[in-house]
Amino acid sequence: MKDSTKEDINSSVTMTTKRGLITDSFKVVKKARNGVKREKRPPTPPPQKEPESEMAHEEELQRLRQFDLDWRFGPCTGISRQQRWERAKRHGLSPPEEVRDLLLQTHTGPDYNLSLWSEYPL
Amino acid sequence: ILDKTRKLLAECGAQRAAKMATLLMFSDISAQKEASSLLCRPTSDDQGPVYERMSLAYSPCSERFTVGERSFSRQYAHIYAARLMQMRPLLSDRAQQKWGPDVLIRKLCDLQTGEQCCIVGTLFKRMELQPSILKEISEEHNLLPQPARAKCISETDELILEDELQRIKLEGQIDRDKCVTGSVIAIYGAEKNDGKFTVEDFCMADLPLQTPRPALSSDRFVLLVSGLGLGSSHADSMLGLQLLVDMVTGQLGDQGEQSGAATISRVLVAGNLLSQSTQDKDASTKPKYLTKKTQAGSVEAIRLLDELLCQLVASVPVDVMPGHHDPTNYTLPQQPLHRCMFPLSSVYPTLQLASNPHQASIDGVRFLGTSGQNICDIQRYSSMDSHLEILEDTLRLRHLAPTAPDTLGCYPFYQKDPFILEECPDVYFSGNAPTFESKLIKGPDGQEVLLVTIPVFSSTQTACLVNLRTLACEPVSFSAFSADDDEERCGGLWRCGDCGRWG
């Protein structure tokens, strides 16, 4: 059943191509992109944060990544760090408290809360 | 029918001597009443005795099996990790109890060649015949789609133990054909030079602790039935089903039987309420314009089920668990059937739509069980055939469904594995078994569990009655017309006058 309908479609397509291309009736219009492209370039990067807080920020992220890669607490993909910490606590694996404190800070974003591999479709 | 009754009487005479006088069976209660009042003039309405059905304290404990928001964006590694995390301390304790408190419990990465030690991990059985979608669609193999096998074990199977980091092949004193993937066990032995671990002994987590059940004063029964198979093309079991409903609601028999039926305080239907023929796959493969006007087979079947349940719930509390062929999700734990499918019976508060697996405490007696998918799956991937044996094995492993998620569909849990038994039940059942079997087992810490395999009602016409006071279980059979019989047979439920056995 399916094959016969496919053949019908194919034959109808070939028939229209013999008569003419669709681009004969609808011309291809190329948009003028040059000016728009340049305008959409990102503006200059934001001014650098102070070096100390930048370093502390990096250290905290590094600490969290170490927590992610610690094999004792199970796999880290697909769940948030908070959920993984709680699972480790529930099973008595004594996860480090400092990780929890880092996660409970309010100004943090997804780079703190989600695991190392969260951007990959695992 | 006269010949059959005579035969039964002859049997009874021989069996009466062997019958235990102390166990009070359901049939005995009915037999104790006075002479049958069936063949007599009907009494006027206000003179008939009214039997009260006991209503028992019931508390469902199935919160762990209800899945809230369903997110399938997780891998299944979490459930295995949670399983191992949870079972490791239990197995370490058991290992120390079995092989001495100073037994070395090592992780696989710390193993030293030739050292006698104990390792704890998850079993993995590599089976050649295990259906693999990758092999099927692979062009190299040129495989045609294989029909589903009854058993997927073969001589070339290998057992491997995995812990958090590594895996090692096992050989030695472990029966490979009886083990299934996903069981967490502790193994005692040593690693030999060839990189395989030689097993000398192994142990499972065994039964968890059990809080003793309360002593009951009188006999109360719970009826367990499964595999009703409604909506099938041949309605063989409808008469048996109607007889069952009539018996439970007290519309069958004389005063003796009715007072006996009043002691049935709950009915538990364990799965496969609909028959497999309602699950026709045509609706999904045929194009829409052909199936637009046709109704799914399950619609009519659910309507039948609703009418049947309506008769039951008007008189007795009923727990309904879904099964493999029922309209709910496929993965375990199956969520309760939705109450919108039961417009007639969901009005009654006695209808309890339960999940599969189901856990409840009926008058202090803890029931835990499934509709049989976990047992059938283990049967397929091991050499064991008896459902009762497999049921006992799952209890000893302390896990309801060890093959989930490998070969049995399961929701990707990550916090904890809800199939691990945390508390020992008093009655542990599984539905849709080929025959009725029951056994009372004892645990190492004084636990006592009744194991029941509930037979498929549509083929065996048998249900089970569990006595909550004594934890004794007996089958109840309903005979009906059968197309296979040559001789003329009268359908009906009949009781032997001598021993009071139902047949």
PDB file of all heavy atoms in Angstrom, chain A residues 95-117:
ATOM      1  N   PRO A  95      29.274  12.937  51.794  1.00  0.00           N
ATOM      2  CA  PRO A  95      29.809  13.893  50.813  1.00  0.00           C
ATOM      3  C   PRO A  95      30.282  15.155  51.528  1.00  0.00           C
ATOM      4  O   PRO A  95      29.752  15.494  52.580  1.00  0.00           O
ATOM      5  CB  PRO A  95      28.604  14.180  49.920  1.00  0.00           C
ATOM      6  CG  PRO A  95      27.428  13.915  50.769  1.00  0.00           C
ATOM      7  CD  PRO A  95      27.802  12.838  51.719  1.00  0.00           C
ATOM      8  N   PRO A  96      31.264  15.862  50.983  1.00  0.00           N
ATOM      9  CA  PRO A  96      31.804  17.034  51.698  1.00  0.00           C
ATOM     10  C   PRO A  96      30.778  18.151  51.839  1.00  0.00           C
ATOM     11  O   PRO A  96      30.083  18.503  50.892  1.00  0.00           O
ATOM     12  CB  PRO A  96      32.986  17.467  50.822  1.00  0.00           C
ATOM     13  CG  PRO A  96      32.760  16.833  49.516  1.00  0.00           C
ATOM     14  CD  PRO A  96      31.956  15.592  49.732  1.00  0.00           C
ATOM     15  N   GLU A  97      30.725  18.716  53.055  1.00  0.00           N
ATOM     16  CA  GLU A  97      29.745  19.762  53.354  1.00  0.00           C
ATOM     17  C   GLU A  97      30.030  21.031  52.580  1.00  0.00           C
ATOM     18  O   GLU A  97      29.112  21.792  52.277  1.00  0.00           O
ATOM     19  CB  GLU A  97      29.756  20.069  54.858  1.00  0.00           C
ATOM     20  CG  GLU A  97      29.185  18.979  55.730  1.00  0.00           C
ATOM     21  CD  GLU A  97      27.658  18.848  55.618  1.00  0.00           C
ATOM     22  OE1 GLU A  97      27.002  19.826  55.204  1.00  0.00           O
ATOM     23  OE2 GLU A  97      27.139  17.774  55.934  1.00  0.00           O
ATOM     24  N   GLU A  98      31.302  21.299  52.282  1.00  0.00           N
ATOM     25  CA  GLU A  98      31.637  22.555  51.597  1.00  0.00           C
ATOM     26  C   GLU A  98      30.999  22.605  50.212  1.00  0.00           C
ATOM     27  O   GLU A  98      30.631  23.661  49.726  1.00  0.00           O
ATOM     28  CB  GLU A  98      33.146  22.701  51.491  1.00  0.00           C
ATOM     29  CG  GLU A  98      33.830  21.481  50.909  1.00  0.00           C
ATOM     30  CD  GLU A  98      35.276  21.755  50.532  1.00  0.00           C
ATOM     31  OE1 GLU A  98      35.700  22.910  50.607  1.00  0.00           O
ATOM     32  OE2 GLU A  98      35.949  20.781  50.162  1.00  0.00           O
ATOM     33  N   VAL A  99      30.835  21.450  49.607  1.00  0.00           N
ATOM     34  CA  VAL A  99      30.188  21.409  48.284  1.00  0.00           C
ATOM     35  C   VAL A  99      28.747  21.869  48.422  1.00  0.00           C
ATOM     36  O   VAL A  99      28.225  22.642  47.611  1.00  0.00           O
ATOM     37  CB  VAL A  99      30.274  19.985  47.702  1.00  0.00           C
ATOM     38  CG1 VAL A  99      29.399  19.826  46.497  1.00  0.00           C
ATOM     39  CG2 VAL A  99      31.706  19.639  47.372  1.00  0.00           C
ATOM     40  N   ARG A 100      28.102  21.438  49.487  1.00  0.00           N
ATOM     41  CA  ARG A 100      26.705  21.815  49.713  1.00  0.00           C
ATOM     42  C   ARG A 100      26.610  23.319  49.932  1.00  0.00           C
ATOM     43  O   ARG A 100      25.720  23.990  49.432  1.00  0.00           O
ATOM     44  CB  ARG A 100      26.182  21.079  50.925  1.00  0.00           C
ATOM     45  CG  ARG A 100      24.733  21.402  51.218  1.00  0.00           C
ATOM     46  CD  ARG A 100      24.003  20.142  51.650  1.00  0.00           C
ATOM     47  NE  ARG A 100      22.582  20.305  51.538  1.00  0.00           N
ATOM     48  CZ  ARG A 100      21.809  20.728  52.516  1.00  0.00           C
ATOM     49  NH1 ARG A 100      22.334  21.058  53.663  1.00  0.00           N
ATOM     50  NH2 ARG A 100      20.504  20.844  52.336  1.00  0.00           N
ATOM     51  N   ASP A 101      27.547  23.836  50.714  1.00  0.00           N
ATOM     52  CA  ASP A 101      27.528  25.283  50.976  1.00  0.00           C
ATOM     53  C   ASP A 101      27.703  26.061  49.686  1.00  0.00           C
ATOM     54  O   ASP A 101      27.047  27.078  49.465  1.00  0.00           O
ATOM     55  CB  ASP A 101      28.643  25.638  51.961  1.00  0.00           C
ATOM     56  CG  ASP A 101      28.420  24.979  53.305  1.00  0.00           C
ATOM     57  OD1 ASP A 101      27.250  24.697  53.623  1.00  0.00           O
ATOM     58  OD2 ASP A 101      29.405  24.745  54.029  1.00  0.00           O
ATOM     59  N   LEU A 102      28.587  25.580  48.828  1.00  0.00           N
ATOM     60  CA  LEU A 102      28.800  26.245  47.550  1.00  0.00           C
ATOM     61  C   LEU A 102      27.527  26.228  46.713  1.00  0.00           C
ATOM     62  O   LEU A 102      27.185  27.199  46.051  1.00  0.00           O
ATOM     63  CB  LEU A 102      29.906  25.537  46.756  1.00  0.00           C
ATOM     64  CG  LEU A 102      31.344  25.803  47.192  1.00  0.00           C
ATOM     65  CD1 LEU A 102      32.284  24.917  46.407  1.00  0.00           C
ATOM     66  CD2 LEU A 102      31.684  27.257  46.974  1.00  0.00           C
ATOM     67  N   LEU A 103      26.829  25.103  46.771  1.00  0.00           N
ATOM     68  CA  LEU A 103      25.633  24.958  45.931  1.00  0.00           C
ATOM     69  C   LEU A 103      24.470  25.776  46.449  1.00  0.00           C
ATOM     70  O   LEU A 103      23.578  26.139  45.699  1.00  0.00           O
ATOM     71  CB  LEU A 103      25.213  23.488  45.846  1.00  0.00           C
ATOM     72  CG  LEU A 103      26.171  22.564  45.110  1.00  0.00           C
ATOM     73  CD1 LEU A 103      25.758  21.121  45.319  1.00  0.00           C
ATOM     74  CD2 LEU A 103      26.169  22.879  43.626  1.00  0.00           C
ATOM     75  N   LEU A 104      24.476  26.058  47.757  1.00  0.00           N
ATOM     76  CA  LEU A 104      23.332  26.760  48.319  1.00  0.00           C
ATOM     77  C   LEU A 104      23.457  28.273  48.199  1.00  0.00           C
ATOM     78  O   LEU A 104      22.559  29.003  48.592  1.00  0.00           O
ATOM     79  CB  LEU A 104      23.140  26.376  49.787  1.00  0.00           C
ATOM     80  CG  LEU A 104      22.594  24.973  49.997  1.00  0.00           C
ATOM     81  CD1 LEU A 104      22.537  24.643  51.475  1.00  0.00           C
ATOM     82  CD2 LEU A 104      21.198  24.834  49.410  1.00  0.00           C
ATOM     83  N   GLN A 105      24.554  28.754  47.640  1.00  0.00           N
ATOM     84  CA  GLN A 105      24.684  30.201  47.453  1.00  0.00           C
ATOM     85  C   GLN A 105      23.636  30.668  46.461  1.00  0.00           C
ATOM     86  O   GLN A 105      23.336  29.990  45.489  1.00  0.00           O
ATOM     87  CB  GLN A 105      26.065  30.512  46.884  1.00  0.00           C
ATOM     88  CG  GLN A 105      27.187  30.269  47.870  1.00  0.00           C
ATOM     89  CD  GLN A 105      28.504  30.380  47.162  1.00  0.00           C
ATOM     90  OE1 GLN A 105      28.768  31.371  46.492  1.00  0.00           O
ATOM     91  NE2 GLN A 105      29.321  29.369  47.286  1.00  0.00           N
ATOM     92  N   THR A 106      23.114  31.833  46.669  1.00  0.00           N
ATOM     93  CA  THR A 106      21.981  32.269  45.855  1.00  0.00           C
ATOM     94  C   THR A 106      22.377  32.900  44.532  1.00  0.00           C
ATOM     95  O   THR A 106      21.598  32.925  43.609  1.00  0.00           O
ATOM     96  CB  THR A 106      21.131  33.288  46.635  1.00  0.00           C
ATOM     97  OG1 THR A 106      22.027  34.236  47.220  1.00  0.00           O
ATOM     98  CG2 THR A 106      20.345  32.600  47.719  1.00  0.00           C
ATOM     99  N   HIS A 107      23.597  33.438  44.422  1.00  0.00           N
ATOM    100  CA  HIS A 107      23.915  34.166  43.197  1.00  0.00           C
ATOM    101  C   HIS A 107      24.433  33.259  42.096  1.00  0.00           C
ATOM    102  O   HIS A 107      24.851  33.713  41.052  1.00  0.00           O
ATOM    103  CB  HIS A 107      24.950  35.251  43.502  1.00  0.00           C
ATOM    104  CG  HIS A 107      26.263  34.673  43.962  1.00  0.00           C
ATOM    105  ND1 HIS A 107      26.554  34.475  45.287  1.00  0.00           N
ATOM    106  CD2 HIS A 107      27.326  34.212  43.279  1.00  0.00           C
ATOM    107  CE1 HIS A 107      27.759  33.948  45.397  1.00  0.00           C
ATOM    108  NE2 HIS A 107      28.254  33.765  44.198  1.00  0.00           N
ATOM    109  N   THR A 108      24.422  31.967  42.341  1.00  0.00           N
ATOM    110  CA  THR A 108      25.034  31.055  41.365  1.00  0.00           C
ATOM    111  C   THR A 108      24.083  30.738  40.217  1.00  0.00           C
ATOM    112  O   THR A 108      22.874  30.818  40.353  1.00  0.00           O
ATOM    113  CB  THR A 108      25.435  29.753  42.046  1.00  0.00           C
ATOM    114  OG1 THR A 108      24.282  29.227  42.697  1.00  0.00           O
ATOM    115  CG2 THR A 108      26.524  29.985  43.050  1.00  0.00           C
ATOM    116  N   GLY A 109      24.680  30.349  39.124  1.00  0.00           N
ATOM    117  CA  GLY A 109      23.871  30.039  37.943  1.00  0.00           C
ATOM    118  C   GLY A 109      23.983  28.580  37.581  1.00  0.00           C
ATOM    119  O   GLY A 109      24.410  27.758  38.377  1.00  0.00           O
ATOM    120  N   PRO A 110      23.599  28.234  36.350  1.00  0.00           N
ATOM    121  CA  PRO A 110      23.646  26.825  35.951  1.00  0.00           C
ATOM    122  C   PRO A 110      25.051  26.228  35.944  1.00  0.00           C
ATOM    123  O   PRO A 110      25.192  25.010  36.059  1.00  0.00           O
ATOM    124  CB  PRO A 110      23.039  26.815  34.538  1.00  0.00           C
ATOM    125  CG  PRO A 110      22.998  28.223  34.111  1.00  0.00           C
ATOM    126  CD  PRO A 110      22.993  29.072  35.321  1.00  0.00           C
ATOM    127  N   ASP A 111      26.079  27.059  35.844  1.00  0.00           N
ATOM    128  CA  ASP A 111      27.422  26.461  35.847  1.00  0.00           C
ATOM    129  C   ASP A 111      27.796  25.925  37.220  1.00  0.00           C
ATOM    130  O   ASP A 111      28.689  25.099  37.354  1.00  0.00           O
ATOM    131  CB  ASP A 111      28.475  27.457  35.329  1.00  0.00           C
ATOM    132  CG  ASP A 111      28.392  28.784  36.067  1.00  0.00           C
ATOM    133  OD1 ASP A 111      27.388  29.003  36.777  1.00  0.00           O
ATOM    134  OD2 ASP A 111      29.319  29.593  35.931  1.00  0.00           O
ATOM    135  N   TYR A 112      27.072  26.400  38.254  1.00  0.00           N
ATOM    136  CA  TYR A 112      27.284  25.839  39.590  1.00  0.00           C
ATOM    137  C   TYR A 112      26.362  24.651  39.830  1.00  0.00           C
ATOM    138  O   TYR A 112      26.742  23.669  40.444  1.00  0.00           O
ATOM    139  CB  TYR A 112      26.971  26.902  40.658  1.00  0.00           C
ATOM    140  CG  TYR A 112      28.131  27.769  41.033  1.00  0.00           C
ATOM    141  CD1 TYR A 112      28.620  28.726  40.162  1.00  0.00           C
ATOM    142  CD2 TYR A 112      28.732  27.648  42.286  1.00  0.00           C
ATOM    143  CE1 TYR A 112      29.683  29.529  40.523  1.00  0.00           C
ATOM    144  CE2 TYR A 112      29.792  28.459  42.655  1.00  0.00           C
ATOM    145  CZ  TYR A 112      30.275  29.396  41.763  1.00  0.00           C
ATOM    146  OH  TYR A 112      31.321  30.194  42.138  1.00  0.00           O
ATOM    147  N   ASN A 113      25.114  24.794  39.375  1.00  0.00           N
ATOM    148  CA  ASN A 113      24.112  23.804  39.766  1.00  0.00           C
ATOM    149  C   ASN A 113      24.113  22.543  38.929  1.00  0.00           C
ATOM    150  O   ASN A 113      23.811  21.471  39.432  1.00  0.00           O
ATOM    151  CB  ASN A 113      22.705  24.420  39.682  1.00  0.00           C
ATOM    152  CG  ASN A 113      22.532  25.508  40.701  1.00  0.00           C
ATOM    153  OD1 ASN A 113      23.159  25.485  41.744  1.00  0.00           O
ATOM    154  ND2 ASN A 113      21.700  26.474  40.388  1.00  0.00           N
ATOM    155  N   LEU A 114      24.449  22.697  37.654  1.00  0.00           N
ATOM    156  CA  LEU A 114      24.376  21.510  36.799  1.00  0.00           C
ATOM    157  C   LEU A 114      25.748  20.866  36.706  1.00  0.00           C
ATOM    158  O   LEU A 114      26.760  21.497  36.949  1.00  0.00           O
ATOM    159  CB  LEU A 114      23.888  21.898  35.402  1.00  0.00           C
ATOM    160  CG  LEU A 114      22.511  22.519  35.369  1.00  0.00           C
ATOM    161  CD1 LEU A 114      22.152  22.930  33.964  1.00  0.00           C
ATOM    162  CD2 LEU A 114      21.470  21.534  35.890  1.00  0.00           C
ATOM    163  N   SER A 115      25.737  19.592  36.302  1.00  0.00           N
ATOM    164  CA  SER A 115      26.995  18.850  36.333  1.00  0.00           C
ATOM    165  C   SER A 115      27.904  19.278  35.178  1.00  0.00           C
ATOM    166  O   SER A 115      27.520  20.036  34.292  1.00  0.00           O
ATOM    167  CB  SER A 115      26.715  17.361  36.251  1.00  0.00           C
ATOM    168  OG  SER A 115      26.399  17.015  34.921  1.00  0.00           O
ATOM    169  N   LEU A 116      29.061  18.739  35.216  1.00  0.00           N
ATOM    170  CA  LEU A 116      30.106  19.018  34.248  1.00  0.00           C
ATOM    171  C   LEU A 116      29.670  18.726  32.815  1.00  0.00           C
ATOM    172  O   LEU A 116      30.020  19.435  31.877  1.00  0.00           O
ATOM    173  CB  LEU A 116      31.276  18.115  34.640  1.00  0.00           C
ATOM    174  CG  LEU A 116      32.570  18.110  33.886  1.00  0.00           C
ATOM    175  CD1 LEU A 116      33.140  19.489  33.833  1.00  0.00           C
ATOM    176  CD2 LEU A 116      33.513  17.174  34.618  1.00  0.00           C
ATOM    177  N   TRP A 117      28.892  17.698  32.662  1.00  0.00           N
ATOM    178  CA  TRP A 117      28.533  17.242  31.315  1.00  0.00           C
ATOM    179  C   TRP A 117      27.148  17.700  30.905  1.00  0.00           C
ATOM    180  O   TRP A 117      26.568  17.173  29.970  1.00  0.00           O
ATOM    181  CB  TRP A 117      28.566  15.701  31.251  1.00  0.00           C
ATOM    182  CG  TRP A 117      29.808  15.095  31.810  1.00  0.00           C
ATOM    183  CD1 TRP A 117      29.902  14.367  32.951  1.00  0.00           C
ATOM    184  CD2 TRP A 117      31.121  15.144  31.257  1.00  0.00           C
ATOM    185  NE1 TRP A 117      31.190  13.959  33.156  1.00  0.00           N
ATOM    186  CE2 TRP A 117      31.959  14.429  32.130  1.00  0.00           C
ATOM    187  CE3 TRP A 117      31.678  15.737  30.119  1.00  0.00           C
ATOM    188  CZ2 TRP A 117      33.312  14.289  31.907  1.00  0.00           C
ATOM    189  CZ3 TRP A 117      33.033  15.603  29.911  1.00  0.00           C
ATOM    190  CH2 TRP A 117      33.842  14.886  30.784  1.00  0.00           C
TER     191      TRP A 117
END
